[in-house]
Amino acid sequence: MRNLVRSLALVAVVFLGSQYVSAQQKIGHVNADEIFQMTAEFKTANEQLRTLNDTKTKELQGMYEEFQKKQNDANEKLRNRSEANKTTVDAELQTLGQDLQSMEQRIQEVQRVAQEDLGKKQQELLTPIQTKVMNAINAVAKEKGYAYVLDTSNGNVLYFQGGEDISADVKTRLGIAANATPAAPAVPPAR
């Protein structure tokens, strides 16, 4: 989606700079990310992602707390080691060290899997919404006769003056209330 928008923006700038765009061609602009975050589907997907993220975080916190407990036990055994119990304590410490190393590897694996799961779920939930928003933008652009529509949300449009903001028309097409506010993403976007 971003590559498409960047390509459109680049094409528009090249044509404008080269004086190839005739005065009859209309240029519009829209903040696609803001509209995307205003959709009801995004808000639902966002809650699902937040719930999944919270579940994975709690799981990792439980594992980390168990790791910390074992590490504290090992430190306590080390502090209480004397010449009389050195052999026994050293054997226990070696076992605890192996357990800690194994736990650390499990924690890292669970973190990796959690990030993958979140990324997959994010892709699964957000891709259809992105498609829906892009289809609405394209439909409005065609209806209104725009030759180019620039996306102001991604920062690639360094300057624009004039043109028409078609955001309200796109929101109407998507059934978004005029006074709706964007929802903040529950988790950072997968890259």
Side-chain angles (χ1 to χ4, degrees), residues 115-177:
Q115 287 176 338
E116 283 180 9
D117 289 350
L118 278 169
K120 286 176 186 175
K121 190 66 169 179
Q122 192 172 25
Q123 190 77 12
E124 172 190 322
L125 294 172
L126 301 183
T127 298
I129 303 167
Q130 289 173 330
T131 301
K132 182 179 177 180
V133 169
M134 285 305 298
N135 288 342
I137 291 169
N138 291 337
V140 168
K142 281 183 182 178
E143 281 176 14
K144 303 272 184 175
Y146 289 99
Y148 303 97
V149 175
L150 306 176
D151 185 0
T152 59
S153 63
N154 61 17
N156 286 335
V157 179
L158 301 177
Y159 176 79
F160 71 96
Q161 181 174 348
E164 294 181 39
D165 186 353
I166 64 170
S167 298
D169 294 327
V170 174
K171 288 177 191 176
T172 299
R173 179 169 286 279
L174 291 170
I176 298 171

Side-chain angles (χ1 to χ4, degrees), residues 12-159:
V13 170
V14 168
F15 278 108
L16 286 173
S18 302
Q19 301 293 324
Y20 286 127
V21 175
S22 72
Q24 297 168 356
Q25 292 181 318
K26 290 171 55 174
I27 298 175
H29 57 88
V30 67
N31 186 330
D33 284 350
E34 183 178 88
I35 292 172
F36 174 78
Q37 292 174 359
M38 287 180 180
T39 63
E41 294 92 340
F42 176 78
K43 292 174 183 176
T44 301
N46 205 28
E47 280 305 311
Q48 290 178 15
L49 290 170
R50 183 172 283 120
T51 300
L52 180 61
N53 188 45
D54 290 348
T55 301
K56 299 289 184 182
T57 299
K58 286 177 185 173
E59 179 183 356
L60 282 166
Q61 285 174 338
M63 292 177 77
Y64 186 71
E65 287 170 5
E66 184 181 338
F67 178 84
Q68 287 291 100
K69 185 179 180 291
K70 277 198 185 241
Q71 195 170 39
N72 290 340
D73 290 346
N75 289 337
E76 188 63 30
K77 285 186 185 289
L78 188 60
R79 275 194 294 273
N80 293 328
R81 188 175 85 171
S82 65
E83 283 301 318
N85 66 4
K86 181 178 181 187
T87 305
T88 305
V89 170
D90 284 349
E92 290 173 0
L93 286 173
Q94 185 173 3
T95 301
L96 276 172
Q98 290 169 347
D99 289 348
L100 286 169
Q101 194 173 33
S102 175
M103 286 179 75
E104 186 175 27
Q105 289 171 349
R106 281 195 318 268
I107 289 170
Q108 289 173 352
E109 180 64 15
V110 168
Q111 282 177 321
R112 185 189 64 75
V113 169
Q115 287 176 338
E116 283 180 9
D117 289 350
L118 278 169
K120 286 176 186 175
K121 190 66 169 179
Q122 192 172 25
Q123 190 77 12
E124 172 190 322
L125 294 172
L126 301 183
T127 298
I129 303 167
Q130 289 173 330
T131 301
K132 182 179 177 180
V133 169
M134 285 305 298
N135 288 342
I137 291 169
N138 291 337
V140 168
K142 281 183 182 178
E143 281 176 14
K144 303 272 184 175
Y146 289 99
Y148 303 97
V149 175
L150 306 176
D151 185 0
T152 59
S153 63
N154 61 17
N156 286 335
V157 179
L158 301 177
Y159 176 79

